[in-house]
Structure formats: structure tokens, C-alpha cells
Amino acid sequence: MVSIPRKTVEEEHKTLGHYKAPCGTLPMQRSALLQAANQMAQMVLGSYLTPLESRMVYQAVFLSKFSYVLPQCYFTSNQLQQIESKAQQAFTAKCGFNRKMSLAIRYGPLSLGGAGFVQLSTIQGEGQLTNFLKHWRSNTYVSSLLRCSLAWAQMNAGISVPLLMVLSMSIPHLESVFLQSTRSFLSRIDGQIEVDDPFVPPEQREHDAYIMDIALASPEFSPADLR
């Protein structure tokens, strides 16, 4: 006999190193990442690494560790900033830079005179886009699920334009946290994704309108009203 305990949709379970919950919340994953980042900061600050060795650890260990998990997550920029704060300052100091240096310089590319560090929000967003394009262009069960998810999200949004092409429109009632996060990153980098089938429901009759287009354009509705 094998006893299989019941789990609620809010309860996260660990699969291949990721904590996931069907309802979309990620408190355990966030805590695990914060603990890992802080441990890395303590390890680096207490070591005898040279600036060159510190850069190697940052590139080969720190970034690789977070690049594995974050593409499947959808944390906000503020949450990721809280996770990486101590670790980024530690690596900045150990690599020979001032901890109080401007963030624009810290995260600027080396080719333009920046320090070449990478924000976790960039790693997460880049991974999201890579995963989306990889599965959209393939023919697997995951690809089918992705298309179903986009179709459902487009119907849920109720707007007349593709979700991943028109990023200027805020959609506070969109329930897909992953696609909402992907839209935020695309808006941040001034990008868009054009898919072969955006799943925008066609108008059924003459003089039809998309109700959510009207609601979103009206100042009378708050985000709670729109939801």
C-alpha cells in the first residue's frame, strides 16, 4: 500500500528543483531563492576570492543557479530586487567596485563602460521569452498546453488586440500570472511577440464591440471593477 497525501491547490510541491502550486502562488520558491542568494552573499564576502575569481563565481555559479529556476517563475521586479539585493552588493564589492555605485552603471554592459552585472528580472524575462518561443515553434504536449493557455487568456482578457503584441494596454483582470509577467517584461524592453494564431475572438455581428475594450478605456472602472 502506498499512501498518497492530499494537497490543496495552494500547497506548493517540489518538482525538478522547482516549487509549484496549481493556483499560481510561489511563497516557498521565493523563500528558497532568497535563502540561496543570501547564502551566496555570505560565502563570497567571507572568502579570499580575487576580483577575477569573484567574477567567475558570479557568472558560472550565481547566474547559472538562478537561470535554471526563474524562467518558469513570474515574480515582480520588486520581489526579485529583494531576493538579489545582498548578493548583488556582495559580488559588486568582491569584484572591486563600490557598493554604492549607480545601478545604471552596475547593470550596464561592459562594452559601454558598465560593470556587466545582470538583474534577476532580466534573467526571468529573457527565460520566459525563450521558453515561450521554443514551445510555440515545436509540436509537443507542452506546445499544445501553451496554445490552450494563450487562447484561454485571450478570451479571459476580452480585448480586440493580441495579448503579446499590444503592450500599452494594461489588463489588470488578466488571470494568467505567467502571461501577465511576460507582458510586463515585453513592455519593459519595448518588444512584442507575433504568433501565427493570436486567438482573438472575431466579431459575431455588425456593430459588435469588445466590451472589455470599452471598459478599459473608461475612467469609471477601477482594477477591482474590471476584475
Side-chain angles (χ1 to χ4, degrees), residues 108-183:
L110 293 171
S111 59
L112 296 179
F117 293 93
V118 184
Q119 290 178 292
L120 293 187
S121 58
T122 301
I123 295 175
Q124 175 180 271
E126 179 186 6
Q128 287 174 344
L129 300 186
T130 302
N131 280 345
F132 185 95
L133 295 174
K134 175 180 66 177
H135 292 298
W136 192 271
R137 293 169 175 170
S138 57
N139 184 21
T140 64
Y141 289 116
V142 178
S143 306
S144 299
L145 182 60
L146 177 60
R147 291 178 179 271
C148 290
S149 298
L150 182 60
W152 171 82
Q154 186 71 52
M155 182 70 72
N156 170 236
I159 57 178
S160 59
V161 295
L163 279 177
L164 300 180
M165 285 200 66
V166 181
L167 289 312
S168 58
M169 181 183 294
S170 175
I171 311 176
H173 60 283
L174 182 62
E175 296 180 16
S176 174
V177 287
F178 182 83
L179 289 177
Q180 188 74 280
S181 178
T182 304
R183 292 187 81 250

Side-chain angles (χ1 to χ4, degrees), residues 26-143:
L26 297 172
M28 291 180 65
Q29 183 67 79
R30 181 181 175 188
S31 297
L33 292 176
L34 178 61
Q35 182 180 3
N38 289 343
Q39 287 178 347
M40 187 78 69
Q42 292 178 354
M43 180 196 72
V44 170
L45 286 176
S47 70
Y48 293 97
L49 295 173
T50 65
L52 178 59
E53 292 167 343
S54 299
R55 174 71 74 169
M56 293 173 61
V57 172
Y58 178 77
Q59 296 284 353
V61 181
F62 182 79
L63 293 184
S64 298
K65 184 179 184 65
F66 286 88
S67 297
Y68 174 70
V69 178
L70 286 179
Q72 287 70 243
C73 298
Y74 28 81
F75 295 112
T76 65
S77 296
N78 289 335
Q79 290 175 330
L80 291 172
Q81 188 174 3
Q82 293 172 1
I83 292 173
E84 70 183 348
S85 177
K86 291 183 179 180
Q88 294 282 23
Q89 289 188 18
F91 278 108
T92 300
K94 291 296 289 186
C95 288
F97 298 101
N98 189 326
R99 298 190 190 201
K100 303 298 183 181
M101 69 190 305
S102 170
L103 295 182
I105 299 176
R106 179 194 293 180
Y107 298 118
L110 293 171
S111 59
L112 296 179
F117 293 93
V118 184
Q119 290 178 292
L120 293 187
S121 58
T122 301
I123 295 175
Q124 175 180 271
E126 179 186 6
Q128 287 174 344
L129 300 186
T130 302
N131 280 345
F132 185 95
L133 295 174
K134 175 180 66 177
H135 292 298
W136 192 271
R137 293 169 175 170
S138 57
N139 184 21
T140 64
Y141 289 116
V142 178
S143 306

Side-chain angles (χ1 to χ4, degrees), residues 4 8 10 16 46 56-57 83 111 162 192:
I4 302 178
T8 65
E10 293 87 8
L16 297 177
M56 293 173 61
V57 172
I83 292 173
S111 59
Q192 58 181 203

Side-chain angles (χ1 to χ4, degrees), residues 8-21:
T8 65
V9 294
E10 293 87 8
E11 188 175 358
E12 293 175 79
H13 64 279
K14 192 172 184 179
T15 303
L16 297 177
H18 297 241
Y19 288 98
K20 294 296 180 184

